[in-house]
Amino acid sequence: MEQEEIMDERLSDLTDLARRISDLYAERFDVERDATWYLGKMSEELGEVTSAYLKLAGQGRGAGSRADLENEVADLLGFVLLFADWQGIDPGKALQRKWGSYLEAEKV
């Protein structure tokens, strides 16, 4: 299996996990997942990543931990994957197309 296929499979598995958890959350709390929800959750989680990092770096209020930062990155990734899925975007292919183009430019 090629590296690209392995990455696609892993992202697909992670997207499935995020979707299952999101479905449980939406059912439990009667949440309508619309544009406002997807965009708001990504923004919220980015703020929480920022806060966790600043606390860990001694620049925020309160104590921070590596586990807190990792958990917030996991939340942000989950919501990015959910947003991509909702929009019909293959995040692996999009990343390879966008970021991989820089590697192609280096070969010239």
Side-chain angles (χ1 to χ4, degrees), residues 4 8 11-12 22 24 26 33 50 52-53 58 61 65 67 72 83 89 104-105 108:
E4 202 172 299
D8 287 345
L11 282 174
S12 179
S22 176
L24 289 172
R33 291 170 289 180
T50 302
Y53 172 78
R61 293 184 181 174
S65 71
E72 296 308 336
F83 178 81
I89 296 169
E104 294 301 318
V108 176

Side-chain angles (χ1 to χ4, degrees), residues 52-70:
Y53 172 78
L54 290 174
K55 286 178 183 178
L56 187 59
Q59 298 176 347
R61 293 184 181 174
S65 71
R66 181 71 183 187
D68 291 339
L69 179 59
E70 291 173 359

Side-chain angles (χ1 to χ4, degrees), residues 39-53 69 72-73 75-77 79-80:
L39 295 170
K41 291 303 286 184
M42 283 192 303
S43 295
E44 175 187 342
E45 295 304 336
L46 179 58
E48 292 177 7
V49 168
T50 302
S51 177
Y53 172 78
L69 179 59
E72 296 308 336
V73 168
D75 287 346
L76 178 58
L77 176 59
F79 281 107
V80 168

Side-chain angles (χ1 to χ4, degrees), residues 22-39:
S22 176
D23 289 346
L24 289 172
Y25 180 89
E27 184 178 321
R28 182 175 297 154
F29 297 105
D30 194 30
V31 171
E32 180 182 344
R33 291 170 289 180
D34 57 8
T36 300
W37 183 81
Y38 285 103
L39 295 170

